[in-house]
């Protein structure tokens, strides 16, 4: 699958938001981390500036920083309309007020673009896409995937999810996925099947309440880890 930039919904979250979504502790932030489908998030830029070791993989890294930023600006309103059909139903304690959402996301994207343009950042931003990642086996402690797996359950098959998670488990000892809801804010129909598949395969699988929410049901994170690797 070759991802066209105009097909992408470029959300863009900050390090603080990733920490809350994925329940990343200070100890976790000192590990070798992989962000899959990170898009224009500032997770990598901010964590690198704080001394962390992080690599991000996304097909949109084939484009320039300016192209990604311009796509982000032109698609923000449709995203907001899709995500906030009923703003009164949102838990605003985790989000800025509706009018400030764009400012917050624009800041994350600007930090990403500034970092992405640095000649020294090329090793930290890799062009690639699930279900095949351009990195060697067992390179990372934790791989996180925000707003891609489960989020696009209406477009991506169950088998794609199994292959993608297997691929993330090939390169990392632990995988965390957030949220477990789709873009339309419904619980993904794949949760139970994915859970059963990886428990049967001998992995430890947890579904926990994350420290981040938006609407009811949006606040869960799935962790899948090789047995014997616990924090
Ligand atoms: C909704 S954005 C989420 C961005 C970021 N993780 C966040 O939470 O703000 C989805 C991202 O998935 C990326 N993507 C699309 N197809 C992909 C694939 N097959 N493998 C990995 N990432 C993909 C897109 O380029 C886009 O950046």
């Amino acid at each position: 699958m070759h991802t066209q930039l105009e097909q992408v919904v470029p959300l863009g979250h900050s390090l603080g938001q990733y920490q809350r979504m994925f329940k990343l502790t200070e100890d976790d932030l000192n590990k070798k981390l992989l962000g899959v489908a990170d898009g224009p998030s500032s997770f990598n830029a901010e964590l690198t500036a704080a001394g962390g070791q992080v690599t991000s993989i996304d097909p949109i890294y084939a484009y320039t920083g300016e192209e990604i930023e311009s796509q982000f600006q032109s698609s923000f309103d449709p995203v907001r309309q899709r995500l906030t059909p009923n703003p009164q139903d949102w838990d605003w304690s985790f989000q800025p007020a509706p009018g400030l959402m764009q400012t917050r996301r624009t800041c994350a994207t600007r930090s990403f673009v500034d970092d992405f343009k640095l000649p020294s950042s090329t090793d930290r931003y890799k062009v690639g896409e699930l279900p095949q990642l351009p990195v060697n086996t067992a390179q990372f402690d934790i791989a996180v995937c925000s707003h891609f797996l489960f989020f696009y359950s209406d477009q991506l098959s169950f088998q794609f999810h199994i292959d993608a998670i297997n691929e993330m488990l090939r390169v990392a000892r632990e995988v965390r996925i957030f949220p477990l809801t789709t873009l339309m804010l419904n619980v993904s129909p794949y949760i139970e099947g994915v859970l059963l598949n990886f428990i049967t395969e001998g992995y430890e699988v947890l579904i926990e309440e994350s420290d981040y929410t938006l609407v009811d049901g949006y606040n869960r994170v799935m962790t899948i880890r090789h047995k014997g690797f616990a924090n």
Side-chain angles (χ1 to χ4, degrees):
M1 178 172 86
H2 178 64
T3 301
Q4 301 295 317
L5 192 54
E6 58 279 7
Q7 296 169 340
V8 168
V9 178
L11 287 184
H13 288 96
S14 66
L15 170 61
Q17 288 173 313
Y18 266 53
Q19 274 181 266
R20 292 196 298 275
M21 290 175 204
F22 296 112
K23 300 174 82 73
L24 291 168
T25 62
E26 286 303 315
D27 198 31
D28 290 336
L29 294 179
N30 287 320
K31 293 179 177 168
K32 253 188 117 178
L33 302 181
L34 174 68
V36 178
D38 268 351
S41 289
S42 55
F43 171 58
N44 190 321
E46 291 184 70
L47 188 53
T48 301
Q53 287 186 80
V54 55
T55 300
S56 299
I57 299 179
D58 196 295
I60 61 166
Y61 300 154
Y63 295 87
T64 65
E66 285 82 5
E67 285 169 331
I68 297 171
E69 191 169 23
S70 135
Q71 167 65 9
F72 171 88
Q73 297 298 358
S74 62
S75 65
F76 187 83
D77 276 341
V79 171
R80 183 170 48 191
Q81 277 157 20
R82 203 155 359 156
L83 284 180
T84 55
N86 300 301
Q88 70 281 3
D89 294 341
W90 279 35
D91 183 341
W92 289 103
S93 51
F94 291 83
Q95 290 290 330
L100 289 176
M101 251 175 76
Q102 182 158 11
T103 311
R104 174 84 64 91
R105 293 263 158 85
T106 303
C107 284
T109 300
R110 177 106 306 273
S111 306
F112 155 77
V113 171
D114 288 346
D115 188 48
F116 184 69
K117 282 182 180 164
L118 296 175
S120 58
S121 76
T122 48
D123 284 350
R124 291 187 287 109
Y125 294 103
K126 293 186 186 295
V127 180
E129 57 188 51
L130 290 168
Q132 277 181 328
L133 298 175
V135 281
N136 292 336
T137 299
Q139 290 296 298
F140 299 95
D141 296 307
I142 303 174
V144 297
C145 184
S146 153
H147 295 85
F148 177 64
L149 290 174
F150 298 132
F151 201 55
Y152 289 105
S153 296
D154 295 335
Q155 289 83 17
L156 300 169
S157 70
F158 175 71
Q159 191 55 47
F160 177 90
H161 281 70
I162 297 294
D163 294 343
I165 296 169
N166 269 319
E167 176 67 352
M168 290 170 73
L169 287 164
R170 176 183 72 78
V171 304
R173 296 198 285 177
E174 175 174 327
V175 167
R176 299 186 196 178
I177 304 167
F178 180 94
L180 307 192
T181 46
T182 68
L183 186 58
M184 302 313 293
L185 303 179
N186 300 312
V187 175
S188 163
Y190 302 148
I191 304 303
E192 200 175 321
V194 166
L195 191 79
L196 269 175
N197 179 85
F198 286 97
I199 288 176
T200 309
E201 295 285 323
Y203 292 94
E204 289 176 15
V205 186
L206 299 175
I207 293 182
E208 295 172 283
E209 237 178 65
S210 116
D211 301 322
Y212 185 94
T213 193
L214 206 57
V215 291
D216 273 355
Y218 194 89
N219 61 339
R220 292 185 304 155
V221 54
M222 182 181 286
T223 300
I224 305 162
R225 62 169 79 104
H226 291 268
K227 281 235 164 95
F229 176 60
N231 291 309

